[in-house]
Amino acid sequence: MRDGTSTVNGLRKIRVLIIDDSALIRAILTEVVNSFPDLEAVGAAAHPLQARDMIKALNPDVLTLDVEMPKMDGLTFLERLMRLRPMPVLMISSLTERGSEVALNALELGAVDFIAKPKLDVASGLQGYAEDIASKIRMAFHSRASNHLQGESRVSPVCHSGKFSTIEKIVLVGSSTGGTEALKVFLEPMPTDAPAILIAQHMPEAFTKSFAVRLNGLCRMNVKEAEDGERVLPGHVYVAPGHSHLRVARNGVGYMLRLGGDAPVNHHRPSVDVLFQSAVQSVGANGLVVMLTGMGRDGAQGMLQMRQTGAYTIAQDEATSVVYGMPRAAVEVGAVDEILPLGAIAGRVLERLRGQIR
């Protein structure tokens, strides 16, 4: 094309700008991106100040952004970028406790997702993640990054009056890309005596504990990373650890949690389908199932099975989803009773749990 934009099969390639202070990482990511016919690395910057000029000159569709860089750290640059020129950004973050905190901060600032940098042998590690990197770049390109928890996602007023009629109820939630921020919006209005909430969020194992701790500081409910064999208690939120599937099982008059390191399902562990399907026999119609923003189809079949048991099911709408993959898949298979904007879901869940809607 005359403007220098490349195409494949008549479609414009997704233009990627790589920002990383490591020449090795820049070279590897450039090679990975250019190995896919629909992607093009249009440039690589060693630091944000250089990237600032390259963004103006190259007009990329997606940025990959390292965190610790000279002249300006990645989070400072991300904050300024989202204020002045919002665009899809994938953070490059190490699989460490420090890396998880930084990645969560970046998601709060508006990054769409992150690419986990291996601890050892970075070169072969990133090459091994090539398909994942490519899929995340495509997802970021098609995401609603500029809508990141803006007007459509504002929380609707929630009435907290009234007690819950039973402790048998459990809320099951599935989420992926965009879910870390969506879960905050969903959980913050929940009162201290709300029925237990179980969450399967696609996230590496180094990140889930930090994520649960962060949510616990924001919410009235007690939020923690799930542990194998623990009782499910009202007023508690249990986040599946990144290394295990989360299941719920009957335990006398109540419920208990089971963790499993068995094979990924739908390419994920934890898998939303595994959580939802475990509740078909143990929870059934006492479950209320919520599908939030995310890439892929994980959870759709499990949500359908729960709906068939009599559980009420809610999916986040397209306008407020960063990625409308998982909610769309659930809608397509007939698994959804109601589609709502993110900010309205918590209130509707509480109404259903209190029996105010029949």
Side-chain angles (χ1 to χ4, degrees), residues 310-331:
Y312 196 78
T313 59
I314 299 172
Q316 185 176 346
D317 70 357
E318 183 172 8
T320 63
S321 294
V322 173
V323 180
Y324 191 57
M326 288 162 53
R328 183 196 303 275
V331 171

Side-chain angles (χ1 to χ4, degrees), residues 67 75 92-108 114 116 180 203-212 214:
V67 174
L75 290 181
I92 307 290
S93 180
S94 58
L95 286 170
T96 63
E97 184 174 349
R98 159 70 180 161
S100 68
E101 288 293 334
V102 170
L104 292 172
N105 286 338
L107 295 174
E108 288 182 349
F114 55 85
T180 55
M203 184 177 284
E205 62 179 285
F207 290 53
T208 45
K209 186 171 184 178
S210 295
F211 179 53
R214 182 169 295 213

